[in-house]
Amino acid sequence: MKQLHPRLRIALRLLLTPVFVLTTVWGSFALLYRLEWPLPASSALIVLWCLLGVGSLLLLWRRPVLWAVAAYLLVLALLQGWWQTLQPSNQRTWGDDVARMTQGWTKGNLLWLINVRNFDWRSDDDYDIAWEDRQYDLRQLQSVDLLTSYWGMPAIAHILVSFGFQDGRQLVFTVETRKEEGERYSELGGFFKEYELSIIATDERDAVRVRTNVRDEDMYLYRIDMTVPAMRELLLSYVAQANALAERPRFYNTLTANCTTIVFEMVQSILGGLPVDHRLLLTGYLPEYVLDIGGLQKGVTLEELRRRGRITDRARLAGDVPDFSTQIRLGVPGWQAAIPAGDRSANTDGSP
């Protein structure tokens, strides 16, 4: 067989080296997060995998390139064969907050939902469990709000969507990692089939207070500028997605199947033409993206929307008041216009 030109061999080696390194690192994390072996055995296999990666690199630079590629593809194929055996499931011992899956159906203008979460949270480990069946009149749907919840870096936030009805009720949908009992969330684990995906409908008091009062997160609420037909389509799209997950489980993915990308896909299917943007991945900056595409209140700066839309303190102060959803919205731009005139508060400056 004719030998490759020396410069071509060097170019191939330079090209393949980062591929070998990155796939070796990926395989190490895949084994770390998903190999369900006793710790000594799993640690030994991870070390062996890393040694195979290093050996393949040495082979790449000291032997013919095709030898190294063939050897590495063989061990990578074995790892991929195992990886493909990992399938999502709805049959695990789940944490209480994701133990059930919301499902729904419509009959005329009525929306019926089962397994709407309405926990009373005192701490992450102390709460009253409540799952409810609820009915909503789609003709009373009048608003959609975007909620962002921050717990650390400003670039990362959890995204929730709240649907408002003329009777004052708010229904929140949240895309969650469906963690097993005792399992903790890991951004890295979310890349490696660590969690299933779940869409849960919750009472707004539950969804907000667990984050502001229990987990000490910082929450913001933005009124979305959307037509009522589009609101209805988005709500029913959430229900359809939740039903689909109940029938066909799916893995959560930190990058491609998370609380923002799922919502973006639904809105894209309804409105179309939405640009793909880095802020769909850096979820903390999602309000800026929504403002840029005309989805927030007109004539109000992002800084003003953030200042008046910060509901953290209002949620903590509201406690168990019957009009919790009204209290946290006092001063939020766009909120006053969405409720009957007789119910409007005189408070519009954003103070609690």
Side-chain angles (χ1 to χ4, degrees):
M1 181 180 295
K2 187 177 180 180
Q3 293 290 325
L4 294 174
H5 191 279
R7 289 185 179 179
L8 181 57
R9 287 202 301 270
I10 292 174
L12 281 174
R13 284 166 173 155
L14 290 173
L15 180 65
L16 290 172
T17 293
V19 175
F20 279 30
V21 171
L22 290 174
T23 51
T24 299
V25 171
W26 177 86
S28 300
F29 279 108
L31 292 168
L32 175 65
Y33 281 103
R34 296 300 292 135
L35 189 64
E36 298 178 357
W37 286 8
L39 184 59
S42 61
S43 298
L45 187 57
I46 292 170
V47 170
L48 176 61
W49 169 257
C50 292
L51 290 175
L52 288 171
V54 172
S56 298
L57 278 173
L58 293 175
L59 193 64
L60 177 65
W61 284 94
R62 296 185 178 183
R63 292 289 184 267
V65 173
L66 292 181
W67 288 19
V69 171
Y72 194 67
L73 285 178
L74 176 61
V75 295
L76 190 60
L78 292 174
L79 183 70
Q80 279 294 319
W82 161 75
W83 184 250
Q84 295 305 318
T85 66
L86 302 176
Q87 297 298 320
S89 172
N90 285 331
Q91 307 303 317
R92 305 191 196 278
T93 304
W94 304 110
D96 289 336
D97 59 330
V98 290
R100 301 189 187 185
M101 303 190 74
T102 300
Q103 294 177 265
W105 63 92
T106 57
K107 185 175 182 181
N109 286 305
L110 295 181
L111 171 64
W112 300 78
L113 295 175
I114 61 173
N115 296 329
V116 177
R117 200 182 71 197
N118 190 17
F119 284 24
D120 184 12
W121 296 88
R122 290 174 291 275
S123 75
D124 258 331
D125 302 310
D126 182 18
Y127 43 79
D128 296 327
I129 297 174
W131 295 93
E132 302 173 351
D133 296 346
R134 293 189 176 186
Q135 176 184 313
Y136 295 88
D137 188 339
L138 294 172
R139 292 169 296 186
Q140 290 193 5
L141 181 62
Q142 67 172 4
S143 67
V144 174
D145 295 321
L146 172 73
L147 294 108
T148 60
S149 188
Y150 299 81
W151 62 91
M153 297 182 297
I156 303 299
H158 184 68
I159 305 300
L160 308 91
V161 174
S162 183
F163 295 89
F165 294 82
Q166 292 172 14
D167 59 9
R169 291 189 296 168
Q170 294 285 149
L171 176 68
V172 173
F173 276 88
T174 174
V175 177
E176 298 282 336
T177 54
R178 200 175 190 199
K179 298 183 291 292
E180 296 180 57
E181 192 175 77
E183 194 173 31
R184 299 296 180 183
Y185 176 69
S186 162
E187 286 87 354
L188 270 177
F191 286 102
F192 297 99
K193 298 185 178 182
E194 179 77 359
Y195 315 104
E196 273 78 8
L197 188 68
S198 180
I199 295 178
I200 299 176
T202 77
D203 185 87
E204 188 168 73
R205 186 194 305 270
D206 172 337
V208 171
R209 291 188 69 199
V210 70
R211 296 183 176 277
T212 58
N213 296 37
V214 172
R215 299 173 186 168
D216 200 29
E217 297 181 14
D218 196 20
M219 289 197 76
Y220 297 79
L221 186 148
Y222 305 88
R223 176 56 47 93
I224 299 298
D225 188 2
M226 180 179 283
T227 66
V228 173
M231 294 179 195
R232 178 169 175 153
E233 283 192 65
L234 181 58
L235 173 55
L236 295 181
S237 183
Y238 263 110
V239 175
Q241 291 276 1
N243 289 343
L245 287 174
E247 292 292 327
R248 297 179 300 278
R250 177 181 175 186
F251 281 121
Y252 172 90
N253 186 282
T254 302
L255 188 63
T256 61
N258 56 48
C259 62
T260 302
T261 58
I262 299 296
V263 178
F264 175 76
E265 290 169 4
M266 289 189 285
V267 176
Q268 182 75 287
S269 69
I270 295 168
L271 301 179
L274 299 180
V276 176
D277 191 284
H278 70 280
R279 290 168 293 187
L280 296 171
L281 301 178
L282 300 177
T283 51
Y285 303 132
L286 186 66
E288 180 183 0
Y289 170 82
V290 178
L291 179 65
D292 285 348
I293 63 173
L296 297 185
Q297 297 301 301
K298 305 295 189 296
V300 187
T301 66
L302 181 62
E303 291 73 18
E304 184 73 1
L305 290 170
R306 280 182 56 84
R307 184 184 70 82
R308 294 171 60 182
R310 185 173 183 267
I311 64 172
T312 307
D313 294 333
R314 295 198 287 268
R316 290 169 179 166
L317 291 172
D320 295 322
V321 297
D323 60 342
F324 176 84
S325 292
T326 298
Q327 291 297 316
I328 66 174
R329 283 173 171 76
L330 293 177
V332 173
W335 175 74
Q336 299 285 1
I339 60 176
D343 293 337
R344 294 177 186 169
S345 166
N347 186 346
T348 60
D349 63 1
S351 61

